[in-house]
Amino acid sequence: QQPVQSPQAVILREGEDAVINCSSSKALYSVHWYRQKHGEAPVFLMILLKGGEQKGHDKISASFNEKKQQSSLYLTASQLSYSGTYFCGTEMVNNYGQNFVFGPGTRLSVLP
Amino acid sequence: EAQVTQNPRYLITVTGKKLTVTCSQNMNHEYMSWYRQDPGLGLRQIYYSMNVEVTDKGDVPEGYKVSRKEKRNFPLILESPSPNQTSLYFCASKKRYEQYFGPGTRLTVT
């Protein structure tokens, strides 16, 4: 089952902050975040593992609350280059391997 | 340059005409995967492969086949394409956590 993301879309002015949320009805053991710019392939941003850790990538950081089965991506002082669609994803590990499931995405537009 | 390549990048075909989309990676990754991307649905996994000769279904495998005879290649086969398989397809390879995506193949089935 796909993770749920909110909001579906957000429009910001350069320099503003944004939060993108990801939640799952199934237990999350890890959360992956990817960004896809228009017309391009998705690019890995970061992974969060069990333990409630927070990671960062420049002015983009994320948190993971495994008890609530939620993750949030924080974009601080947004830049024009942050525009794109953000996907969260998680691995479903079974006897055969690792099935990977992405959320539907959140479209972020940063305006000058 | 480390990369995942896909061919063709664009394809228009007719219902029922078998086709193959190739995927190749030069990073010696064991894990490879195919996704389709449709508006509002995000990326959905079709098949994945943990290693040579080891493949398994993802969330949307119906109508697709794969094979993994060599570590670097992971072709996607549509035996009898239908219009509902019109989509943007991505191949990816992974080492540990990070997936590296190919440039995508836009397929239209009429």
Side-chain angles (χ1 to χ4, degrees):
Chain A
Q1 191 165 357
Q2 264 191 324
V4 175
Q5 289 186 235
S6 63
Q8 284 187 308
V10 59
I11 300 175
L12 299 172
R13 291 284 179 189
E14 211 172 355
E16 293 180 338
D17 302 339
V19 180
I20 299 172
N21 299 303
C22 173
S23 64
S24 174
S25 58
K26 293 192 174 184
L28 292 174
Y29 299 99
S30 67
V31 178
H32 303 233
W33 286 96
Y34 284 77
R35 177 172 63 201
Q36 183 180 29
K37 298 196 174 184
H38 183 68
E40 299 181 7
V43 173
F44 177 79
L45 290 176
M46 66 187 76
I47 179 175
L48 298 103
L49 302 172
K50 283 175 65 173
E53 64 179 289
Q54 192 155 350
K55 297 195 73 173
H57 176 74
D58 195 14
K59 291 183 179 176
I60 300 175
S61 62
S63 63
F64 176 29
N65 186 324
E66 66 204 67
K67 287 185 180 178
K68 293 186 176 180
Q69 295 166 194
Q70 294 176 345
S71 177
S72 294
L73 188 71
Y74 306 95
L75 298 102
T76 305
S78 296
Q79 306 168 16
L80 295 176
S81 62
Y82 287 3
S83 291
T85 301
Y86 290 78
F87 296 98
C88 68
T90 189
E91 295 158 306
M92 303 293 184
V93 180
N94 55 40
N95 290 336
Y96 307 102
Q98 295 173 343
N99 173 211
F100 201 90
V101 183
F102 282 100
T106 294
R107 180 172 292 182
L108 178 75
S109 300
V110 181
L111 305 178
Chain B
E1 180 190 355
Q3 60 182 347
V4 178
T5 57
Q6 295 178 226
N7 282 292
R9 296 288 312 280
Y10 302 91
L11 179 60
I12 300 174
T13 189
V14 295
T15 300
K17 186 176 181 182
K18 181 179 178 179
L19 67 92
T20 299
V21 184
T22 64
C23 173
S24 183
Q25 50 98 3
N26 62 1
M27 294 170 279
N28 202 36
H29 289 166
E30 293 182 347
Y31 184 99
M32 295 187 74
S33 182
W34 276 102
Y35 296 90
R36 62 177 288 173
Q37 185 172 29
D38 303 289
L41 297 177
L43 294 146
R44 293 180 294 166
Q45 192 174 49
I46 303 170
Y47 271 94
Y48 64 96
S49 170
M50 298 295 290
N51 212 329
V52 176
E53 304 291 1
V54 181
T55 64
D56 198 13
K57 298 176 182 178
D59 290 333
V60 289
E62 294 78 19
Y64 304 94
K65 285 176 59 176
V66 292
S67 69
R68 187 91 180 274
K69 299 191 188 319
E70 303 169 280
K71 200 171 189 178
R72 64 183 295 127
N73 296 323
F74 191 42
L76 179 70
I77 303 158
L78 284 74
E79 294 268 3
S80 182
S82 62
N84 65 12
Q85 293 178 298
T86 292
S87 188
L88 178 59
Y89 291 86
F90 286 101
C91 178
S93 70
K94 179 171 75 81
K95 185 170 184 176
R96 210 170 181 213
Y97 300 127
E98 181 175 352
Q99 293 194 66
Y100 297 83
F101 285 83
T105 295
R106 188 167 291 281
L107 173 65
T108 302
V109 184
T110 61

